[in-house]
């Protein structure tokens, strides 16, 4: 009888119930909330569902030495997590994004690239604030990139500058990407008048196939020469777009924007979520990162909208830009552009801003990669 009791007692020590703490319960609940928001509210389900379930996986309490945890060398989860730690996943996602992206709106309206550049001010604004809150320069750089609203870029930069903060930075970046409609709309309404929201822009010109093929080649050469450290992201982004536009590599483009990006997005979401173990994640530092990420996102949206409002002061009436597309300068493709369209149609149901908003939106993708390269050059 004693042997049975001792065996049961030993078994109990290996269970998650015996090793559970309130911190684990909190993180599991947060994971369940993420999954619920993804499924019920349909807020970026391709991001929130894998991240949320990953949180649940990562916060099942483990007896030390079982070699199954994400931070235990040689475990399956640890091997999958190396794609995040070593920065393998983000360039692969950028390859898929490039193969999905149509740069026609930007090519036809190159002036709107400035709007995408203006929105990147949020990154550097959050960098300064992070320094004031006591973060080291390399940590502040990794935190600031959240304002670019680009999860893969945030992971890539934090893996280089502040891997110990990667979990909080990645979850923060993806969370705010999912909350784009919730965060941006009130700011856009606050900063614009009814008359400004009704501004109609001229239809973008038709872009030739030759221009679409030349753009990724020239775009990569120019941006990579300016910021060589951004080469992994910029190279894969423009290469993916060349596969799409060349017309002779359709199978490669379909693989990049389909099965490849789906697999990598699943793995990156699941492993990033699993990395948020309670003992690593629940801290004052994580709260500060979430706060700074929100501030960075707000600054980026504010700067994009205000930049257009100021620019309009110097433009002829027929050349004026609807400031509602300023929010699309962040790199949340195509969600922030959709917000521009939705808010614009609420003001004028016949005013379609989506194609115009896609120009600063795709410029924001390039801009966030360039901003990451700049930070990596100075802080890496």
């Amino acid at each position: 009888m004693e042997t049975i009791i001792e065996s049961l007692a030993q078994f109990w020590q290996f269970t998650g119930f015996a090793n559970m703490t309130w911190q684990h319960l909190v993180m599991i609940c947060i994971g369940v909330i993420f999954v619920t928001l993804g499924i019920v509210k349909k807020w970026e389900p391709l991001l929130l569902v894998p991240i949320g379930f990953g949180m649940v996986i990562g916060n099942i309490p483990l007896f030390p030495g079982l070699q199954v945890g994400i931070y235990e060398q040689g475990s399956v989860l640890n091997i999958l997590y190396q794609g995040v730690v070593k920065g393998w996943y983000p360039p692969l996602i950028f390859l898929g994004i490039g193969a999905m992206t149509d740069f026609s709106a930007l090519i036809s309206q190159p002036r709107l690239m400035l709007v995408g550049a203006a929105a990147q001010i949020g990154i550097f604004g959050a960098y300064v604030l992070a320094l004031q809150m006591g973060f080291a320069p390399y940590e502040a750089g990794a935190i600031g990139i959240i304002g670019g609203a680009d999860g893969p870029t945030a992971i890539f930069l934090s893996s280089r500058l502040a891997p110990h903060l990667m979990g909080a930075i990645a979850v923060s970046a993806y969370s705010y990407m999912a909350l784009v409609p919730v965060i941006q709309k009130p700011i856009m309404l606050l900063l614009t008048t009814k008359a400004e929201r009704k501004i109609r822009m001229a239809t973008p010109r038709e872009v030739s196939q030759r221009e679409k093929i030349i753009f990724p080649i020239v775009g990569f050469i120019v941006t990579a020469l300016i910021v060589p450290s951004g080469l992994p992201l910029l190279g894969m982004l423009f290469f993916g777009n060349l596969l799409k536009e060349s017309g002779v590599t359709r199978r490669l483009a379909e693989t990049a924007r389909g099965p490849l990006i789906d697999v990598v997005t699943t793995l990156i979401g699941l492993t990033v979520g699993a990395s948020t173990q309670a003992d690593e994640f629940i801290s004052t530092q994580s709260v500060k990162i979430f706060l700074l990420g929100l501030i960075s996102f707000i600054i980026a949206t504010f700067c994009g909208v205000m930049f257009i409002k100021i620019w309009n002061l110097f433009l002829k009436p027929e050349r004026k830009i609807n400031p509602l597309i300023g929010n699309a300068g962040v790199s949340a493709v195509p969600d922030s552009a959709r917000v521009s369209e939705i808010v614009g149609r609420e003001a004028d149901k016949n005013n379609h801003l989506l194609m115009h908003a896609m120009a600063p939106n795709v410029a924001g993708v390039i801009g966030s990669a360039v901003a990451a390269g700049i930070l990596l050059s100075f802080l890496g």
Side-chain angles (χ1 to χ4, degrees):
M1 188 65 179
E2 289 184 10
T3 302
I4 296 175
I5 294 175
E6 289 176 359
S7 298
L8 290 174
Q10 187 176 15
F11 172 75
W12 173 256
Q13 293 177 1
F14 283 91
T15 66
F17 295 106
N19 296 281
M20 180 73 72
T21 64
W22 68 267
Q23 291 96 333
H24 289 113
L25 286 173
V26 168
M27 291 306 302
I28 289 173
C29 288
I30 292 175
V32 171
I33 290 172
F34 271 48
V35 173
T36 302
L37 291 175
I39 296 174
V40 178
K41 296 292 186 179
K42 295 182 173 59
W43 287 353
E44 288 296 324
L46 298 181
L47 297 177
L48 290 189
V49 172
I51 291 175
F53 199 78
M55 286 181 172
V56 176
I57 292 175
N59 285 282
I60 297 298
L62 300 171
F63 187 85
L66 292 180
Q67 290 297 304
V68 294
I70 195 166
Y71 292 113
E72 294 182 295
Q73 292 296 322
S75 71
V76 174
L77 283 176
N78 180 260
I79 292 171
L80 294 176
Y81 189 51
Q82 293 307 302
V84 175
V85 175
K86 302 296 183 182
W88 305 333
Y89 293 152
L92 293 176
I93 288 182
F94 262 66
L95 175 66
I97 291 173
M100 289 190 292
T101 303
D102 185 351
F103 285 106
S104 297
L106 182 60
I107 298 170
S108 65
Q109 304 178 89
R111 64 176 183 158
L112 296 182
M113 184 176 292
L114 296 176
V115 181
Q120 306 312 310
I121 295 174
I123 294 173
F124 299 98
Y127 169 73
V128 174
L129 288 174
L131 291 176
Q132 297 301 315
M133 292 179 70
F135 287 96
Y138 57 90
E139 294 175 328
I143 294 169
I145 203 69
I146 297 172
D150 193 321
T153 303
I155 290 173
F156 178 79
L157 190 62
S158 59
S159 70
R160 296 291 188 274
L161 297 181
H164 57 292
L165 301 179
M166 189 186 306
I169 290 172
V171 172
S172 178
Y174 278 116
S175 298
Y176 292 133
M177 285 172 64
L179 294 173
V180 160
V182 178
I183 298 172
Q184 289 195 318
K185 183 177 177 179
I187 300 172
M188 295 160 66
L189 293 175
L190 180 65
L191 297 178
T192 57
T193 65
K194 290 183 179 179
E196 287 175 327
R197 293 196 284 272
K198 292 182 179 181
I199 292 176
R200 293 198 176 190
M201 300 171 64
T203 304
R205 69 173 179 82
E206 192 76 22
V207 177
S208 68
Q209 189 63 29
R210 177 177 295 181
E211 288 178 288
K212 292 181 181 181
I213 294 173
I214 292 174
F215 180 79
I217 299 172
V218 174
F220 169 68
I221 293 173
V222 172
T223 55
L225 287 175
I226 295 173
V227 191
S229 54
L231 188 144
L233 298 180
L234 292 167
M236 297 299 260
L237 175 69
F238 286 116
F239 176 55
N241 188 247
L242 181 62
L243 293 178
K244 172 182 179 291
E245 303 296 356
S246 67
V248 295
T249 53
R250 182 176 300 174
R251 285 176 54 192
L252 299 181
E254 289 178 350
T255 298
R257 65 173 172 254
L260 179 62
I261 197 170
D262 288 344
V263 169
V264 178
T265 299
T266 302
L267 291 177
I268 202 171
L270 196 68
T271 53
V272 163
S275 70
T276 61
Q277 291 185 353
D279 55 342
E280 301 274 345
F281 193 78
I282 296 182
S283 65
T284 304
Q285 201 171 46
S286 294
V287 174
K288 288 181 180 179
I289 290 171
F290 268 81
L291 177 61
L292 284 167
L294 178 60
I295 293 173
S296 177
F297 205 91
I298 291 172
I299 293 174
T301 305
F302 176 88
C303 289
V305 175
M306 289 304 299
F307 177 78
I308 294 178
K309 285 171 66 73
I310 295 171
W311 194 3
N312 276 342
L313 297 176
F314 305 95
L315 296 177
K316 296 178 180 179
E318 67 274 11
R319 294 276 292 168
K320 287 188 182 295
I321 303 168
N322 192 312
L324 289 179
I325 71 172
N327 76 296
V330 299
S331 180
V333 179
D335 296 317
S336 53
R338 286 185 188 140
V339 175
S340 304
E341 169 78 3
I342 292 169
V343 179
R345 292 196 66 185
E346 287 177 355
D348 179 355
K349 64 180 181 180
N350 296 315
N351 190 13
H352 296 281
L353 296 175
L354 184 61
M355 285 307 299
H356 301 289
M358 283 304 297
N361 207 184
V362 297
V365 177
I366 300 171
S368 67
V370 170
I374 292 172
L375 291 170
L376 193 57
S377 298
F378 285 97
L379 304 173

